[in-house]
């Protein structure tokens, strides 16, 4: 089974160009390849020659710590939500008045935990917004 025919035969790369560069130049091209949307060094060169756009990815290491905190808050909120669902399920299955009041108190404790986590989340988001929305 052969490969499929190209939909646009004019776009096929048919001509071979041999090119030698210094080690320093090659390392620069390789660095561009690693941090961009290009898959190979020849693709980087083709885009540079053709004056096409190369999307260069930049990772801001200063955002690592706040992102870890946000991920932790997300996990804690998910766990609290699961606990609230369990309390609600127990509440709906109980017949005794005392048992229901106990479940209501447990649910109120979980909701207070949610309130503290959401306030922490809002402060973090406001700090991140100040950084992201700089002019």
């Amino acid at each position: 089974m052969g490969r499929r025919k190209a939909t646009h035969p004019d776009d096929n790369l048919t001509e071979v160009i041999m090119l030698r560069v210094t080690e320093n130049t090659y390392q620069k091209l390789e660095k561009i390849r690693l941090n961009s949307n290009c898959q190979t060094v020849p693709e980087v060169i083709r885009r540079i020659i053709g004056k096409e756009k190369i999307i260069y990815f930049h990772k801001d290491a200063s955002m690592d710590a706040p992102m870890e905190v946000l991920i932790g808050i997300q996990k804690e909120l998910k766990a609290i939500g699961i606990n609230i669902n369990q309390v609600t399920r127990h509440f709906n299955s109980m017949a005794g008045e005392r048992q229901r009041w106990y479940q209501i108190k447990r649910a109120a404790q979980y909701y207070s935990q949610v309130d503290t986590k959401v306030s922490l989340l809002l402060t973090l988001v406001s700090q991140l917004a100040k950084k992201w929305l700089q002019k």
Side-chain angles (χ1 to χ4, degrees):
M1 179 171 173
R3 68 176 189 188
R4 288 184 282 160
K5 300 233 183 222
T7 56
H8 301 289
D10 295 336
D11 294 340
N12 288 347
L13 304 176
T14 57
E15 302 301 320
V16 177
I17 298 175
M18 299 296 288
L19 177 69
R20 291 188 184 270
V21 295
T22 63
E23 181 68 26
N24 188 24
T25 304
Y26 183 79
Q27 293 303 325
K28 288 178 185 177
L29 292 170
E30 183 66 20
K31 183 179 177 186
I32 292 171
R33 182 195 69 82
L34 289 173
N35 295 320
S36 70
N37 62 338
C38 297
Q39 301 297 315
T40 61
V41 173
E43 183 180 357
V44 171
I45 295 169
R46 281 193 296 273
R47 288 190 182 192
I48 291 171
I49 291 172
K51 297 180 182 175
E52 296 176 23
K53 186 184 290 186
I54 297 176
I55 299 173
Y56 198 81
F57 304 117
H58 174 71
K59 184 173 187 272
D60 188 2
S62 68
M63 299 303 290
D64 288 346
M67 290 306 292
E68 288 178 14
V69 173
L70 289 174
I71 290 169
I73 291 173
Q74 177 189 16
K75 288 179 182 178
E76 290 176 23
L77 284 173
K78 184 176 180 179
I80 292 170
I82 290 170
N83 290 341
I84 290 172
N85 286 340
Q86 290 173 351
V87 167
T88 304
R89 192 174 313 118
H90 288 298
F91 177 80
N92 289 328
S93 67
M94 294 182 175
E97 189 71 24
R98 280 189 159 177
Q99 293 174 338
R100 284 187 167 215
W101 277 108
Y102 175 72
Q103 295 300 330
I104 290 171
K105 287 181 183 179
R106 282 185 60 197
Q109 290 172 347
Y110 289 130
Y111 278 113
S112 68
Q113 289 177 355
V114 168
D115 186 40
T116 57
K117 295 299 175 186
V118 168
S119 63
L120 176 62
L121 181 67
L122 291 176
T123 57
L124 279 172
V125 168
S126 67
Q127 290 173 357
L128 291 174
K130 288 178 186 175
K131 181 175 180 161
W132 288 339
L133 301 176
Q134 291 177 1
K135 288 190 176 183

